[in-house]
Amino acid sequence: MSAQTTTSKSSSRVAIVTGGSRGIGRQSAERLAADGFSVVVNYAGNQAEADATVAAITTAGGRAVAFRADVADEVSVSALFDTAERTFGGIDVVVHAAGVMTLAPLVDTDLDALDRMHRTNIRGTFVVDQQAARRLRGGGAIINFSSSVVGLAIPGYTAYAATKGAVEAMTLILARELRGRDITVNAVAPGPTATALFLDGKDEETIARMAAQAPLERLGTPQDIAEVVSFLAGPARWVNGQVVRANGGIV
C-alpha cells in the first residue's frame, strides 16, 4: 500500500473512488473534484495511472490523494478509509467503481476467472460497502456499480452479470439497513461504454453492433456515467435504494 498526499485536511466534502485510476472511475473522480470534493483515488496496481489522475485533479485546482488497496482485502480497505479520514477529516461519498470482467458462455467459463470476478466484484463491493456503512458522515452517499447486462441478458456475460446481480441485491438491502442515517445507497448500471474494460477483446463489428443498440446510436462515454455519479453524490437526496440504468435507452 502507498499513498501520495497532495494537500492537508480540508473542510470540503470528501469522496473515495475505487478503481479511480482509469475509465469510469477516473472520470468520476475528476468530476467529483470539479464539484468541490476532496478525492481519494484508489487503485489496484498501476500507480502511474493513479498519479496521472491525481495530477489532473490538482492541475484543475482540486484536492486529491492516490492510495493503493485491494478492494477485496478488508485490511487494505480499512487503511484506505483511514487515509481519507486522516488526510481530509472524514468521508461523505464512496464510489465503488472497481471491477473485473471476463466474457465467455457459461459452459466455457474458466472457474478461476469466475472466482476472480466473484472476489473483486462481489466480495470487493461487500468489503467497501461495509467500511462505508461504518464510516460515512450523515448526508453521505454510497454509489456502487452494476451493469445493464443484468437486465439485457446478453449471451457470454453469464458470470459477470451474476456478480453484478449480487451488487444490486447488496445495494437495495443496504439502503434499507441504513435507515435513520441520512445516507443514500444506489447503483449505477452502465450500458456499453467506451472504456478499456468494454473495448478489450472486441472486434470493430461487435463494437458497432452494440453501439447501434441504443436509440441514441452510440456508445456511452465515461463522462456520461460520471454525470450520473455526480447527481447521486450531490443533489439526489431523494433517490435511494435504486439501480440507475445509464445505457442510452437500451431495453
Side-chain angles (χ1 to χ4, degrees), residues 212-223:
Q213 289 180 319
L216 298 176
E217 296 187 331
R218 66 172 176 86
L219 294 176
T221 67
Q223 292 88 343

Side-chain angles (χ1 to χ4, degrees), residues 8-239:
S8 59
K9 290 185 179 180
S10 167
S11 61
S12 71
R13 298 185 78 206
V14 179
I16 293 173
V17 182
T18 71
S21 65
R22 57 198 301 235
I24 291 170
R26 173 171 178 167
Q27 196 63 47
S28 296
E30 292 186 19
R31 175 55 193 268
L32 291 179
D35 290 343
F37 283 82
S38 299
V39 182
V40 180
V41 178
N42 161 251
Y43 65 102
N46 194 321
Q47 185 173 348
E49 288 186 337
D51 289 346
T53 304
V54 169
I57 290 171
T58 56
T59 298
R63 298 165 298 276
V65 346
F67 189 90
R68 181 176 182 176
D70 173 0
V71 295
D73 181 84
E74 64 273 25
V75 176
S76 293
V77 171
S78 180
L80 167 66
F81 279 70
D82 288 344
T83 295
E85 291 175 337
R86 183 172 59 250
T87 306
F88 297 123
I91 307 162
D92 301 285
V93 170
V94 171
V95 179
H96 180 48
V100 296
M101 178 173 67
T102 301
L103 301 182
L106 184 148
V107 69
D108 298 322
T109 297
D110 180 83
L111 293 183
D112 287 340
L114 174 66
D115 289 344
R116 180 168 177 257
M117 282 188 284
H118 183 284
R119 186 177 190 279
T120 299
N121 298 352
I122 298 179
R123 180 185 169 100
T125 300
F126 197 99
V127 169
V128 170
D129 281 10
Q130 189 174 64
Q131 287 294 321
R134 291 171 177 169
R135 305 211 202 187
L136 255 62
R137 297 185 284 208
I142 298 170
I143 303 168
N144 291 324
F145 267 82
S146 179
S147 170
S148 284
V149 299
V150 173
L152 296 174
I154 301 171
Y157 284 80
T158 313
Y160 179 71
T163 68
K164 293 303 185 178
V167 170
E168 293 191 8
M170 281 187 271
T171 299
L172 303 187
I173 295 170
L174 181 58
R176 287 148 181 82
E177 290 179 344
L178 294 183
R179 174 181 291 274
R181 292 275 305 280
D182 190 24
I183 294 171
T184 62
V185 188
N186 295 289
V188 181
T193 305
T195 66
L197 183 68
F198 170 78
L199 297 172
D200 286 352
K202 294 182 176 69
D203 58 36
E204 291 185 8
E205 180 182 355
T206 299
I207 293 170
R209 175 172 49 79
M210 298 187 78
Q213 289 180 319
L216 298 176
E217 296 187 331
R218 66 172 176 86
L219 294 176
T221 67
Q223 292 88 343
D224 291 326
I225 310 306
E227 290 284 348
V228 182
V229 169
S230 174
F231 175 64
L232 294 174
R237 299 308 302 164
W238 201 235
V239 180

